[in-house]
Every structure is written in C-alpha cells, then in structure tokens.
Amino acid sequence: LDNETTNDLESIVRGHLVKFSRKDVPECGAFLAGSALALKELTDRVPSLCVTLDIAAMCEAGETIHQWFDLFADRIIYVRLSDGRKASARCICGEGIFPMARFLCQLQSHGYCGPLALPLGGDAYDDPSRADEQNWKAVCGLLAEEGSGK
C-alpha cells in the first residue's frame, strides 16, 4: 500500500470503536499481503490494525503459529481453524492433513483465548448443517484429546 492509502486506513481504523483485522488470504495462488512478514510491514505502518490468523493460509505459506505469535503477539484477535488437503483445498476440520490438535495446543501455549472460526470448505457448501456438525465434533474431539494428554 502506498503512504496515502496507509494513512487513510490508519485514520479509519483509529476512528472506530470496533477492531479491524487483516489476514493473509490466498487468492488465485497469490497472497493479498504476500506473507506474514509483508503483513507485519502493514501492521507496523497501521498500528491500530489487528490480525486474523487463517490456519490454512499459514500452512500454504509455509509459516508456523510460533512465527505468527512472534510477529503479532496480542494483535491476533481471530483465528480461522481451517483444515486443508493441499494448496487452496480447504476442508472441514479433521478431514484434512493439517495437525489441528497440535495447532490448538500451540494456540493455547501462546495464551490465545479469542474467537475460533470453523469455516466451511469444499463440498461442505452443499450441506452446511452437516458440515457445521462435523466441524464441531472434530474440534470437540481434538480438545478432548488435548485435555487427556494424548
């Protein structure tokens, strides 16, 4: 973003009682912010801007939860707990290849206690109620697994 756009964004964000968040989103194979480091440059220029951590986008970029918390710490206000199978192939939590239980443990170890989103992916749009139920069962199972120390 150029300086004028950055200044406009900062004045909009600062002037509201709500928090604005920006995330790294794969769009046709390209990231809007380029990477967590590029997003960090933006948040440094717009100090009031918060960050959304999208697990699938993070994995697709080859980044880690530890890197995100090192860069953004308390500016992460929202986490999309999205699973995936390969680049840009989103799926219901637990149906992909990402180590979701490990990610939940890492979020907890960094003290994250904000909202978790369970997005629908792929074929889930055909039957969102079923997908939502599967998402909740998967996350409850992961949390129970983490709680038992497995």
Side-chain angles (χ1 to χ4, degrees), residues 3 11 14 29 33 70 79 88 92 95 97 124:
N3 284 337
S11 66
R14 192 177 340 106
D70 286 347
V79 174
S88 299
I92 296 169
E95 289 188 352
I97 60 171

Side-chain angles (χ1 to χ4, degrees), residues 100-102 105 138-150:
M100 303 306 276
R102 186 176 76 202
C105 288
V139 170
C140 288
L142 291 170
L143 291 172
E145 183 179 308
E146 183 214 333
S148 69
K150 288 185 181 178

Side-chain angles (χ1 to χ4, degrees), residues 66-145:
H66 299 304
Q67 289 171 322
W68 275 73
F69 276 89
D70 286 347
L71 290 171
F72 304 111
D74 60 348
R75 293 176 81 171
I76 297 173
I77 62 165
Y78 189 79
V79 174
R80 287 188 81 224
L81 201 60
S82 47
D83 208 341
R85 294 191 185 98
K86 57 182 178 181
S88 299
R90 308 278 169 107
C91 58
I92 296 169
C93 187
E95 289 188 352
I97 60 171
F98 300 147
M100 303 306 276
R102 186 176 76 202
F103 290 158
L104 284 170
C105 288
Q106 290 172 351
L107 288 169
Q108 185 179 24
S109 75
H110 283 284
Y112 180 77
C113 57
L116 291 174
L118 300 174
L120 304 178
D123 298 334
Y125 293 109
D126 295 336
D127 187 355
S129 294
R130 181 190 63 79
D132 189 48
E133 185 178 335
Q134 283 183 275
N135 262 328
W136 278 107
K137 283 182 181 177
V139 170
C140 288
L142 291 170
L143 291 172
E145 183 179 308

Side-chain angles (χ1 to χ4, degrees), residues 42-54:
L42 178 61
T43 59
D44 285 347
R45 291 169 50 198
V46 183
S48 303
L49 192 62
C50 296
V51 175
T52 294
L53 170 55
D54 183 309

